Amino acid sequence: MPLIEIIALLAVTQFMYFGYKVGIQRRDSGLKAPAMTGHEGFERAYRVQMNTLEVLVPFLPVLLLSGQYWPALLIAPIGIVYLVGRGLYAQAYVSNPSKRGLGFMLSLGAVAALLLLALLGAVFG
Amino acid sequence: MPLIEIIALLAVTQFMYFGYKVGIQRRDSGLKAPAMTGHEGFERAYRVQMNTLEVLVPFLPVLLLSGQYWPALLIAPIGIVYLVGRGLYAQAYVSNPSKRGLGFMLSLGAVAALLLLALLGAVFG
Amino acid sequence: MPLIEIIALLAVTQFMYFGYKVGIQRRDSGLKAPAMTGHEGFERAYRVQMNTLEVLVPFLPVLLLSGQYWPALLIAPIGIVYLVGRGLYAQAYVSNPSKRGLGFMLSLGAVAALLLLALLGAVFG
């Protein structure tokens, strides 16, 4: 199952990279903690991080659980769709938040597909 | 352990449903990203999602770890208390935030019970 | 692997303790849900909780995955660095947010080290 694990770890790495971008924006914006609003660039970077947290928390268990029931060659590509979707989402959100829909839908669709596969596996597998 | 896994997947599904409700509120409120405040219905739906994230992140590992040490017939009902508690919490928060205590306590109590069982299992098991 | 599991459960316990502090601040501040701003002590406690969520979500999988490939006597001390770092972070944030860097860096460094070890294990192990 290392292929699945590697995708899980890449998703974690991507999330930490988004967190790094928040740190950069925190520094450049001059916003003093605990303030979380008042600078557009910081708010966008923070929303990328938080929204990614909201899909990463479902993604990791459904990836690992579905990987127990289905071949890695089916699960891994769905995991890659998640990673690409999140990358597109982050890029779009920073440049123009109204364009974030495609990346959002790709990553959410990947999570939904893995959730369904994991449920099917757990119920019938 | 499929029973435990199914409960984990239902908790993920429930969380994603709460996220869907945030999306609906985002659309209906007309709030433009990255704004997260300025519309009561959106803020309530978002708090349901975020507070659920805050208990889901502990819930998933303590559910799966306690399930390694204790029979599924003990762990699964506690997991169901979590699910029901979160449902009550979400309903209450949306209609009247001051009534959210019962659902909150049920789900938090379930997480605390599973945490204790997982610790007992890991230390003595 | 119980030593690794115990550290994972301690990290969950620590996070829930930070959540408890938010509840105390919510009560003492008189802030009515869904408001999340308007009281410095509440905002600081909430940021401790949220920032810890942001590192806990990566920490748990990289701890458990790296623990599959490396001896517990290597992984467990790194996990303890995470726990100590988060404790320092929380203390500093509440008393003086500008002093939170050391604890932040300790816990983030621990997550980064475990992520690297997990990736090395998954790729070469």
Side-chain angles (χ1 to χ4, degrees), chain A:
Chain A
M1 209 171 50
L3 183 56
I4 303 292
E5 283 183 18
I6 289 167
I7 288 173
L9 294 168
L10 289 178
V12 167
T13 306
Q14 185 185 46
F15 172 70
M16 291 178 73
Y17 175 72
F18 294 158
Y20 165 76
K21 301 286 254 185
V22 176
I24 299 289
Q25 286 286 338
R26 168 73 78 185
R27 195 195 57 198
D28 291 355
S29 68
L31 277 182
K32 287 270 170 286
M36 300 305 287
T37 53
H39 182 277
E40 180 76 14
F42 174 79
E43 289 182 35
R44 290 184 188 186
Y46 181 57
R47 285 306 308 151
V48 168
Q49 185 194 22
M50 289 310 293
N51 188 276
T52 300
L53 189 64
E54 292 160 18
V55 286
L56 181 64
V57 167
F59 176 71
L60 291 174
V62 300
L63 176 75
L64 296 172
L65 289 177
S66 64
Q68 288 183 2
Y69 297 105
W70 302 88
L73 288 177
L74 170 64
I75 299 303
I78 305 177
I80 291 168
V81 170
Y82 166 89
L83 290 169
V84 171
R86 275 292 115 186
L88 293 173
Y89 174 84
Q91 270 189 314
Y93 208 131
V94 168
S95 61
N96 182 352
S98 68
K99 300 283 189 203
R100 71 192 192 281
L102 173 65
F104 180 78
M105 281 305 168
L106 282 176
S107 53
L108 193 66
V111 173
L114 293 174
L115 174 60
L116 189 64
L117 288 168
L119 274 169
L120 288 172
V123 172
F124 299 109

Side-chain angles (χ1 to χ4, degrees), chain A residues 40 43-44 47 50 53-55 57-58 61-62 65 68-69 93 97 100 108 111-112 115 118-119 122-123, chain B residues 1-3 5-6 8-10 12-13 15-16 26 33-37 46 49-50 53 56-57 60 64:
Chain A
E40 180 76 14
E43 289 182 35
R44 290 184 188 186
R47 285 306 308 151
M50 289 310 293
L53 189 64
E54 292 160 18
V55 286
V57 167
V62 300
L65 289 177
Q68 288 183 2
Y69 297 105
Y93 208 131
R100 71 192 192 281
L108 193 66
V111 173
L115 174 60
L119 274 169
V123 172
Chain B
M1 208 171 51
L3 183 56
E5 284 184 17
I6 288 167
L9 294 168
L10 289 178
V12 167
T13 306
F15 172 70
M16 291 178 73
R26 168 74 77 184
M36 301 304 288
T37 53
Y46 181 58
Q49 184 192 23
M50 289 309 294
L53 189 64
L56 181 64
V57 167
L60 291 175
L64 297 172

Side-chain angles (χ1 to χ4, degrees), chain C residues 40-108:
Chain C
E40 180 76 14
F42 175 79
E43 289 182 36
R44 289 185 187 185
Y46 181 58
R47 285 307 308 152
V48 169
Q49 185 192 24
M50 289 309 294
N51 188 276
T52 300
L53 189 65
E54 292 161 18
V55 287
L56 181 64
V57 167
F59 176 71
L60 291 175
V62 300
L63 176 75
L64 296 173
L65 289 177
S66 64
Q68 289 182 3
Y69 297 105
W70 302 89
L73 288 178
L74 169 65
I75 299 304
I78 304 177
I80 290 168
V81 170
Y82 166 89
L83 289 169
V84 171
R86 275 292 116 185
L88 293 174
Y89 174 84
Q91 269 189 314
Y93 209 130
V94 167
S95 60
N96 182 354
S98 69
K99 300 283 189 204
R100 70 194 191 281
L102 173 66
F104 180 77
M105 281 305 168
L106 282 177
S107 53
L108 193 65

